[in-house]
Amino acid sequence: MAALLTTGAPPASAAGPSLSVDLFAARHAISPDIYGMNGGDPALVAELGIPVSRWGGNATSRYNFKNHTYNTGSDWYFENIVAGPDNTLEAYVQRNRDRGIKQVVTVPMSGWVAKDSPSSHPFACGFPATRFPQQDSFDQWDANCGNGRLNNTDLTGAEPTDTSIPADASFAGEMVSHLVNQFGPAARGGVPIYELDNEPVLWSATHRDVHPQPVSNDELGTKSTATAAAIKKADPRAAVLGPSGWGYCEWVASGVDGCAPGADAAAHGGLNLSQWFLKNMKDAGNAAGKRLLDYFDQHYYPQISGDKTPEANAWRLRSTRSLWDPSYVEESWIGPTGVNAPPLQFIRTMKQWIAQYNPGTKTAITEYNWGALDDINGALAEADVLGIFGREGLDLATIWGEPKPTDPGAYAFRMYRNYDGAGSKFGDISVSAASTDQGQLAIYGAQRRSDGALTLMVINKTGTELSSPLSITGCGTGKAQRFTYSPADLSSIVRGQDLAVHRGRVTATYPANSITLLVLPRAGR
């Protein structure tokens, strides 16, 4: 009943978990927007046909479209920088429109945007030496601009007008109107999605020169509803995305409360900031007679960074479970040794809150990165994450800190977006795919609408070659094409020998630390 792979199987192969696929179960569309990036090498972006790009990050929080100036915030000495011709918002939109890439554009919401500034040093800055002569660090190229800290403590008393001018929701409306005038409305090829600032609960850290006070539920709610209404007025068919949460504390409390329930939560029905944000946007939308929030957006960075120790590598591969697994307790500071969080089930929790507080809202993760994209371990994690995004029904994702074209992490994207070098892609209809041990051998299944082919992504997270049986309900007898990315050749995806599938069954070997795609033409119905 099984066709065994008889060539290229090293004698060291171990028996692996059993894999099963059902073409008729758990079918749902996979959004192409989960394969997005915040930037990326232009050649790689073109090769992969990246579907969505985001104009985001800390600098966009104070970007002034009228003078093309932004402020670097705490990322680099709170300096006003004039964007060059290729880095303006208009250049970004035009570039992505020309490539057929959907844009997510961040609109400022903190109350301040950058004022006019010299285009070269000395720049206007939030903590100038003329006002704060003693600071821990000054820009080596601009001695007047400090980091706003003394003795490792944040300074207070900055003057916002040193760098910025007030900007309320009407500014956001003007910004959208400007883009509509130049590129048309969303319904006719203009900017389709607008983001309500970037990580607003971190304004008091990242942009503390203009917004030193912590963000409360009411401030975020008032500014978000007003800004969303201004966006919808300027372009009624444009989608609104928010609140771009920075991390787990927003699943517990507000910026005022910190990372534990406090008075602010108590004053808002005991809801955490994320829950209350959803409810408040729904209530405001009901009052306005239109939806004000289209995407519930969160950022997710596991706390492993780019470490590549054996312990970090093993943790990285386990930690993807935090996106979905009801039994996995996060192992970082938010787990048992920190705030003792229950299993995150990150995407599933987002969907649960949406169902309860703002039904019909889509899900987005506009910043994420599992690290080590320059290593096969990071590539395995990225391939796993992309598979989870599709299986769990995430609507939009854009990686922050994109891989270089030659990085293993780029090949994780290629396995889904261009596995054969001819533009062939992983399927767009998710189907049921299961492993008896997803931690060793993970599997994700999808069928392509275009030709009916079944595509199965199998990720061997172990250091041992595994031989595993695969059964496919809804598939008969035929050949499975095989494409593998592994440490044997980190510069290419290797086309292997086709595998014989007999009555929906095949046993195959999967190299250690590898990503394998099986493609079964004209599978199923």
Side-chain angles (χ1 to χ4, degrees):
M1 296 295 290
L4 298 179
L5 175 61
T6 58
T7 60
S13 294
S18 297
L19 307 176
S20 59
V21 173
D22 188 339
L23 268 76
F24 308 125
R27 293 177 66 90
H28 63 81
I30 295 176
S31 169
D33 293 341
I34 63 173
Y35 305 109
M37 294 183 172
N38 275 269
D41 179 90
L44 180 64
V45 167
E47 175 199 340
L48 299 175
I50 292 299
V52 61
S53 175
R54 171 176 173 259
W55 166 272
N58 293 332
T60 60
S61 285
R62 284 155 72 181
Y63 182 85
N64 186 340
F65 76 96
K66 297 180 180 179
N67 60 12
H68 308 301
T69 304
Y70 60 93
N71 187 277
T72 57
S74 62
D75 290 343
W76 191 262
Y77 298 100
F78 301 89
E79 295 176 354
N80 276 12
I81 306 293
V82 180
D86 293 336
N87 295 315
T88 65
L89 174 57
E90 294 85 354
Y92 163 83
V93 174
Q94 186 64 60
R95 184 164 57 246
N96 284 281
R97 275 168 51 92
D98 291 346
R99 297 171 177 168
I101 300 173
K102 182 184 298 184
Q103 312 102 48
V104 179
V105 169
T106 300
V107 295
M109 201 172 69
S110 71
W112 299 92
V113 295
K115 70 178 186 181
D116 289 338
S117 180
S119 58
S120 59
H121 296 293
F123 295 136
C125 49
F127 291 94
T130 52
R131 194 183 297 277
F132 300 95
Q134 300 298 317
Q135 299 185 54
D136 289 343
S137 175
F138 291 91
D139 183 354
Q140 60 182 310
W141 293 288
D142 201 325
N144 189 48
C145 296
N147 71 344
R149 293 174 66 81
L150 181 61
N151 298 324
N152 215 28
T153 300
D154 290 347
L155 294 171
T156 60
E159 176 51 61
T161 55
D162 281 350
T163 60
S164 305
I165 58 174
D168 58 14
S170 64
F171 181 90
E174 290 180 60
M175 180 174 170
V176 176
S177 294
H178 167 71
L179 293 175
V180 169
N181 289 337
Q182 183 154 344
F183 301 106
R188 295 201 296 273
V191 174
I193 305 173
Y194 291 95
E195 180 174 11
L196 299 175
D197 212 284
N198 176 72
E199 299 181 347
V201 175
L202 293 186
W203 286 336
S204 57
T206 310
H207 298 285
R208 61 182 184 273
D209 57 323
V210 296
H211 196 293
Q213 65 276 19
V215 172
S216 66
N217 282 315
D218 285 341
E219 182 188 6
L220 181 63
T222 299
K223 288 183 173 179
S224 295
T225 54
T227 303
I231 292 169
K232 296 285 188 177
K233 182 178 180 181
D235 192 348
R237 297 287 295 277
V240 170
L241 179 150
S244 300
W246 73 270
Y248 177 71
C249 289
E250 294 185 26
W251 289 34
V252 178
S254 69
V256 169
D257 284 343
C259 206
D264 202 14
H268 294 82
L271 302 180
N272 64 45
L273 181 141
S274 299
Q275 294 167 328
W276 187 80
F277 174 84
L278 283 166
K279 180 180 183 299
N280 185 63
M281 295 298 286
K282 180 180 185 298
D283 292 344
N286 288 345
K290 57 187 174 184
R291 173 175 284 277
L292 291 181
L293 183 71
D294 299 279
Y295 289 86
F296 178 46
D297 175 44
Q298 301 284 283
H299 295 170
Y300 193 97
Y301 291 99
Q303 304 300 298
I304 307 160
S305 70
D307 291 350
K308 300 171 192 173
T309 63
E311 295 78 14
N313 285 345
W315 178 11
R316 180 174 292 108
L317 296 180
R318 291 193 303 270
S319 69
T320 62
R321 294 167 57 191
S322 63
L323 291 169
W324 65 274
D325 191 340
S327 68
Y328 179 74
V329 177
E330 171 60 34
E331 300 171 55
S332 72
W333 65 270
I334 66 177
T337 60
V339 297
N340 199 25
L344 292 181
Q345 304 180 74
F346 199 81
I347 297 172
R348 295 183 182 186
T349 299
M350 291 174 68
K351 288 177 173 287
Q352 175 189 334
W353 288 347
I354 285 170
Q356 186 171 358
Y357 299 111
N358 200 333
T361 307
K362 296 180 179 180
T363 50
I365 299 177
T366 59
E367 288 188 23
Y368 75 93
N369 194 316
W370 255 255
L373 292 170
D374 59 348
D375 187 85
I376 185 62
N377 181 265
L380 298 177
E382 180 61 32
D384 200 31
V385 166
L386 293 175
I388 292 168
F389 285 171
R391 185 192 66 195
E392 296 296 313
L394 190 71
D395 293 295
L396 185 149
T398 48
I399 189 173
W400 181 275
E402 306 77 19
K404 299 182 180 70
T406 56
D407 283 345
Y411 285 91
F413 275 90
R414 287 185 177 103
M415 290 295 286
Y416 285 90
R417 301 292 298 174
N418 186 25
Y419 61 81
D420 60 357
S424 296
K425 298 177 174 59
F426 188 67
D428 44 14
I429 299 293
S430 181
V431 302
S432 174
S435 169
T436 55
D437 190 340
Q438 191 82 352
Q440 289 192 45
L441 199 62
I443 183 170
Y444 303 96
Q447 194 166 18
R448 278 200 300 249
R449 286 190 180 97
S450 60
D451 61 2
L454 174 64
T455 58
L456 303 176
M457 197 72 69
V458 182
I459 304 162
N460 185 351
K461 302 181 181 182
T462 77
T464 302
E465 184 176 77
L466 298 176
S467 178
S468 289
L470 167 65
S471 63
I472 308 169
T473 300
C475 178
T477 298
K479 295 285 188 179
Q481 300 169 1
R482 181 176 49 144
F483 300 84
T484 301
Y485 184 70
S486 75
D489 184 354
L490 292 178
S491 64
S492 65
I493 296 169
V494 177
R495 171 73 186 269
Q497 287 186 330
D498 289 354
L499 304 177
V501 180
H502 184 66
R503 297 184 181 179
R505 295 181 182 275
V506 60
T507 295
T509 57
Y510 302 96
N513 300 307
S514 68
I515 310 166
T516 299
L517 179 66
L518 302 179
V519 182
L520 288 74
R522 296 182 297 279
R525 296 180 283 193

